[in-house]
Amino acid sequence: MQDWLFGLSKNRIARLLSPKLRKAFLFDQHWLSPALEIQHSINSLSASSTSQPGPYIYPSFRLDGVGIQVLIRIACKALAKQKGAQYVHIPFVRIEHREIDPIGQSMTDLEWAQTWENYFNFGRGETLLQDTVELRGRGHLAGIFTDQLHRFGDPNNEHNVKNGLTALTQNPEGHYVFNLGLCKHFSENNLKLPDELLKELRHHLSAKMPGNEELPYNQDGHHIAIHIRRGDVWDQVKKGSRASRFTNKLVGEAYYIDLLRKWSAAYKEHEERPLHFHVFSDGVPENFPGFHFIDNGSAEIPAGTASEKVENIHMYLRTSTPFTMHALIHAPVLMPGKSSFGAVAAILSRGKLVRDPEIFEFYPYHMLLTNPSVHQRLVSTDELIPQLLKHG
């Protein structure tokens, strides 16, 4: 009956008479239909099963950057494993920042979303959105996503995540949509990122990115990848914004210059092979006035009164975002930035992770640190060079 009414809601008069149907219909047109279109076209999905009765856990539809959207899916997968529930895969539909990406500029929104979908392969072996549409009906599913009773961790009501977890236990056949609040309050709700999940996520990653660019770590010596958040954060702070969502994510250039000088000097004392720094950022050269750019892809830090010149700095500024993610994930040593994008790379990486206390205060790293094996890969800024010299 509900699906019949939903079909009727395509009639303009019916939609005007029922605000609830109108809301569900608009959701279907804006989110559900594009998601199903992407799911039909991606090439990496294996057959799944809806034989289990539930509960069903869905990540929320969003339209911000890929980092946050990936984090929500990872958190939902972890929650489903911990609670014995079924994670229902929602394909990416709209991902921000396409317009500043060299690859994304030539793509439509759906093609851009599909690029990321084919890289992460989060739907492989999972219950798919199409499965629950067939099981419950299109109108019913649209109603679930538009009814606040089924939504937990929405931006304006993040702390109701605990209520969602309670409801999940009390009604094991229900449908639950979790938003960003699940990531922000992940550890405090005793949720964990299990090794089994991290192994699975890494196994499903695509081996290549669009353009088939090679990873830049094949030169002699040691390699450290550094992600520095700039872009919209830099622009807003420079305009005078005092909003915490910008100011809390900006780590000043002086910090990185001092750090690279310290690492470079300590390394040169004991090692003749080069130390390579790979700086990935959504910024532009003007955001790095303390760096001397030799050409578009390389820079150095000039010698100071008490420090030598820092060489072998490879700059990747506003390069392909998918390639940047790929390169950060596979870096032998990664210093992630104060951003969800860098945090995703840290979660999926296997290499050493440089742990800066201020950066790791950012909530995505609280998720990361719930995994005990991750702690074995953490290294402080002071410990990094001695460890590289000792263990390679």
Side-chain angles (χ1 to χ4, degrees):
M1 182 67 172
Q2 185 169 357
D3 253 26
W4 179 83
L5 288 172
F6 182 68
L8 182 65
S9 73
K10 295 181 180 179
N11 178 286
R12 184 170 181 272
I13 295 176
R15 296 201 305 272
L16 290 173
L17 291 175
S18 172
K20 190 173 183 179
L21 283 177
R22 182 169 68 251
K23 192 173 183 180
F25 173 79
L26 292 174
F27 177 84
D28 174 76
Q29 297 300 296
H30 193 67
W31 293 109
L32 199 54
S33 291
L36 291 171
E37 180 182 336
I38 288 177
Q39 196 160 86
H40 289 151
S41 64
I42 55 182
N43 55 25
S44 59
L45 297 181
S46 56
S48 57
S49 171
T50 53
S51 57
Q52 298 180 22
Y56 296 96
I57 294 174
Y58 305 81
S60 179
F61 283 95
R62 293 181 67 95
L63 47 72
D64 41 19
V66 69
I68 286 178
Q69 296 202 40
V70 168
L71 285 174
I72 293 173
R73 284 162 175 77
I74 292 176
C76 285
K77 277 176 171 278
L79 173 60
K81 284 188 178 295
Q82 193 160 330
K83 299 296 183 181
Q86 290 200 67
Y87 165 79
V88 181
H89 180 58
I90 303 294
F92 301 114
V93 176
R94 291 174 178 83
I95 296 179
E96 203 174 26
H97 307 312
R98 175 185 61 80
E99 69 285 351
I100 69 169
D101 184 273
I103 291 177
Q105 290 172 11
S106 62
M107 295 181 177
T108 65
D109 285 341
L110 287 185
E111 288 171 338
W112 179 237
Q114 187 174 335
T115 297
W116 290 105
E117 191 68 30
N118 281 325
Y119 180 65
F120 288 109
N121 292 317
F122 283 144
R124 183 176 291 173
E126 301 286 2
T127 301
L128 304 179
L129 180 62
Q130 180 62 42
D131 298 335
T132 52
V133 167
E134 293 174 358
L135 183 70
R136 305 294 300 192
R138 200 175 183 114
H140 183 83
L141 196 61
I144 286 172
F145 275 93
T146 54
D147 190 336
Q148 292 299 317
L149 292 176
H150 299 279
R151 300 183 63 87
F152 301 95
D154 282 339
N156 294 328
N157 192 15
E158 291 178 355
H159 291 281
N160 72 354
V161 171
K162 193 169 186 178
N163 296 336
L165 300 182
T166 301
L168 190 64
T169 303
Q170 294 175 345
N171 180 16
E173 295 186 2
H175 294 250
Y176 304 89
V177 183
F178 283 92
N179 209 324
L180 184 59
L182 181 62
C183 304
K184 291 188 173 182
H185 307 289
F186 190 82
S187 58
E188 68 190 57
N189 282 293
N190 299 315
L191 299 175
K192 300 186 186 311
L193 288 178
D195 283 327
E196 175 192 1
L197 174 60
L198 295 185
K199 183 178 179 180
E200 175 187 298
L201 293 172
R202 292 164 183 155
H203 178 69
H204 290 169
L205 286 174
S206 174
K208 292 282 188 179
M209 287 308 303
N212 291 329
E213 295 181 69
E214 295 294 330
L215 291 170
Y217 312 121
N218 55 359
Q219 302 176 57
D220 182 39
H222 289 96
H223 298 261
I224 303 172
I226 304 169
H227 181 233
I228 302 178
R229 178 74 181 268
R230 286 296 181 262
D232 56 343
V233 167
W234 173 278
D235 294 338
Q236 293 299 321
V237 171
K238 289 301 177 183
K239 289 177 183 177
S241 174
R242 295 184 180 179
S244 60
R245 69 180 184 275
F246 299 122
T247 57
N248 287 348
K249 297 174 186 174
L250 184 65
V251 180
E253 181 191 55
Y255 171 81
Y256 290 105
I257 289 178
D258 290 344
L259 187 61
L260 266 59
R261 279 180 170 156
K262 181 175 72 173
W263 280 346
S264 180
Y267 185 85
K268 286 180 178 179
E269 284 185 16
H270 305 281
E271 177 64 73
E272 292 183 359
R273 291 184 301 164
L275 177 62
H276 295 274
F277 300 107
H278 301 267
V279 176
F280 295 87
S281 179
D282 55 351
V284 294
E286 291 74 19
N287 301 154
F288 298 88
F291 288 70
H292 170 63
F293 284 80
I294 301 170
D295 55 40
N296 288 335
S298 60
E300 60 187 22
I301 297 173
T305 54
S307 60
E308 295 183 9
K309 178 172 62 176
V310 180
E311 301 175 299
N312 300 316
I313 304 175
H314 311 275
M315 304 296 290
Y316 308 85
L317 304 184
R318 294 201 174 178
T319 188
S320 160
T321 317
F323 170 73
T324 297
M325 177 65 77
H326 189 64
L328 294 178
I329 288 173
H330 293 284
V333 179
L334 170 62
M335 182 174 187
K338 206 170 186 181
S339 73
S340 55
F341 189 94
V344 166
I347 288 172
L348 298 177
S349 73
R350 293 184 176 91
K352 294 182 187 297
L353 293 176
V354 180
R355 180 180 184 176
D356 174 270
E358 181 182 338
I359 290 174
F360 270 64
E361 286 178 0
F362 194 37
Y363 71 85
Y365 297 104
H366 299 171
M367 284 178 57
L368 174 68
L369 295 176
T370 64
N371 179 272
S373 66
V374 165
H375 291 261
Q376 301 172 14
R377 299 189 291 115
L378 294 177
V379 57
S380 72
T381 56
D382 292 333
E383 296 169 339
L384 176 61
I385 299 303
Q387 282 203 20
L388 287 182
L389 293 171
K390 183 177 181 180
H391 303 294

